Amino acid sequence: MSHPLTRVLTLLELLQSSPRLTGTELADRLDTDVRTVRRYIAHLRELGIPVEAERGRHGGYRLARGYRMPPLVLTNDEALAVVLGLLAAEHLGMGTAAPASAGALAKIERVLPHALREPLAAMRDTLSFTANAVIGQAPGTGVLLALAQASRAHTTVGIRHQSWRQEHTERDIDPYGVVFHTGRWYVVGHDHLRDSLRTFRIDRIASVIPRADSFTPPNGFDAVADLTSTLAQVPYHWQVEVTIHGPLDEIARRLPRSAVTLTAQPTGVLMRARAERLDGMAHILASLEWPFTIHQPDELRQALKDLAAQLTAAAQREPEELPQ
């Protein structure tokens, strides 16, 4: 890395990848001294690249906020990471209202050299997932980003919200956290209108308006734990109680924590769950390797018998004779 131009370009790459670096850190990375780093910084400024300097003991250099570097340059590993991230986000239903993932993927593929474009296209066309794709309810990009910013800055926001009953309300909330769960985005926080902790689906929020007020979230608040607990209490048609005669730790790894609650007992693990359909619960129980005892509802026994009959019929079915 002896050529000055190479060092200047490397300096620019370092500034792009880090929010702030001191002169000493840059000198170490470039294998030079701090005085030479200052000269390279001056070269970048002469090229119209706004490098800001922060003085003081904890000062350093950074690119000006909001500055966009054309063109985007990615290494092979970085390009693969971006493509995999976009594909996974689309599969999990994490996209926003605009087709941003598809557009970003198309732009990245357009500017990549042929030697890298073809392998990444092969990855896109052949990649499979063990989990089914989720068809999520996409929120607006501006709404999602505004809630995330307010959550980090601990500032109150006003929202226009539509309930599942199609009722429209305007209210102020203190957003404690943003959570993505099974294809949907949620914001958890204090609702000023109800004066209580509430959960809102972000795709039902039409707009977000920043307020001047700030808030302090509860100490140690866990937005994920609160959301899963709230969703587990949503009323369903069936209340299920089953004792599974097996070890708690292994059972917990096999069952989704957002759908069930597990309590250790002398005879096994008491599973409590809510279900809209019992055939799905029958499939879950049948997939476990431990015996179980049904407490309620009795209709679950019939659902298991129906499933057993289907499996028995499948096991006894002979292959059809192939035509000559």
Side-chain angles (χ1 to χ4, degrees), residues 23-165:
T24 302
E25 290 171 331
L26 289 169
D28 291 341
R29 302 274 189 93
L30 297 170
D31 192 23
T32 187
D33 54 54
V34 174
R35 183 176 180 180
T36 304
V37 168
R38 286 198 289 266
R39 188 167 70 249
Y40 292 162
I41 293 291
H43 289 331
L44 291 177
R45 288 170 175 164
E46 290 172 0
L47 294 171
I49 299 172
V51 181
E52 297 179 343
E54 298 176 344
R55 298 186 179 277
R57 179 180 177 185
H58 302 290
Y61 297 98
R62 69 179 184 186
L63 291 177
R65 294 186 184 277
Y67 179 69
R68 301 176 63 182
M69 279 296 302
L72 178 66
V73 179
L74 298 174
T75 66
N76 289 12
D77 289 344
E78 290 169 342
L80 176 60
V82 172
V83 170
L84 289 177
L86 291 171
L87 293 173
E90 183 179 4
H91 184 83
L92 294 172
M94 294 184 71
T96 52
S101 297
L105 188 58
K107 289 178 181 178
I108 290 174
E109 290 182 341
R110 245 190 336 262
V111 300
L112 290 175
H114 181 78
L116 185 55
R117 188 186 313 138
E118 286 302 310
L120 289 178
M123 171 64 71
R124 178 199 61 204
D125 295 338
T126 62
L127 179 64
S128 300
F129 295 82
T130 56
N132 293 330
V134 175
I135 302 176
Q137 298 294 321
T141 302
V143 169
L144 182 61
L145 294 179
L147 290 171
Q149 288 179 294
S151 177
R152 185 178 67 175
H154 299 165
T155 54
T156 302
V157 294
I159 63 171
R160 288 197 298 117
H161 177 260
Q162 175 181 296
S163 72
W164 64 275
R165 297 189 182 94

Side-chain angles (χ1 to χ4, degrees), residues 238-242 278 294-305:
W238 299 103
Q239 305 293 319
V240 178
E241 287 191 10
V242 176
L278 291 178
I294 298 172
H295 301 295
Q296 67 168 337
D298 287 336
E299 289 83 353
L300 179 56
R301 304 179 192 277
Q302 186 58 51
L304 281 162
K305 291 177 182 178

Side-chain angles (χ1 to χ4, degrees), residues 113-273:
H114 181 78
L116 185 55
R117 188 186 313 138
E118 286 302 310
L120 289 178
M123 171 64 71
R124 178 199 61 204
D125 295 338
T126 62
L127 179 64
S128 300
F129 295 82
T130 56
N132 293 330
V134 175
I135 302 176
Q137 298 294 321
T141 302
V143 169
L144 182 61
L145 294 179
L147 290 171
Q149 288 179 294
S151 177
R152 185 178 67 175
H154 299 165
T155 54
T156 302
V157 294
I159 63 171
R160 288 197 298 117
H161 177 260
Q162 175 181 296
S163 72
W164 64 275
R165 297 189 182 94
Q166 309 299 312
E167 297 171 346
H168 296 265
T169 59
E170 295 185 4
R171 61 186 75 201
D172 285 358
I173 64 170
D174 300 334
Y176 296 160
V178 173
V179 181
F180 178 80
H181 176 70
T182 60
R184 291 193 177 99
W185 291 92
Y186 298 87
V187 59
V188 181
H190 180 77
D191 177 15
H192 292 214
L193 182 64
R194 306 299 184 197
D195 192 24
S196 62
L197 185 64
R198 298 290 297 276
T199 298
F200 300 94
R201 271 178 45 180
I202 297 181
D203 60 287
R204 291 177 177 163
I205 297 176
S207 63
V208 177
I209 302 174
R211 304 296 193 205
D213 300 331
S214 61
F215 64 87
T216 301
N219 189 31
F221 182 79
D222 187 336
V224 172
D226 181 83
L227 173 69
T228 53
S229 174
T230 298
L231 294 179
Q233 297 173 25
V234 173
Y236 288 92
H237 187 69
W238 299 103
Q239 305 293 319
V240 178
E241 287 191 10
V242 176
T243 295
I244 304 171
H245 304 287
L248 175 61
D249 292 344
E250 294 186 33
I251 294 172
R253 284 196 292 268
R254 296 285 297 275
L255 298 174
R257 66 172 182 168
S258 62
V260 303
T261 58
L262 302 175
T263 305
Q265 294 190 332
T267 58
V269 177
L270 178 62
M271 180 195 76
R272 292 188 176 93

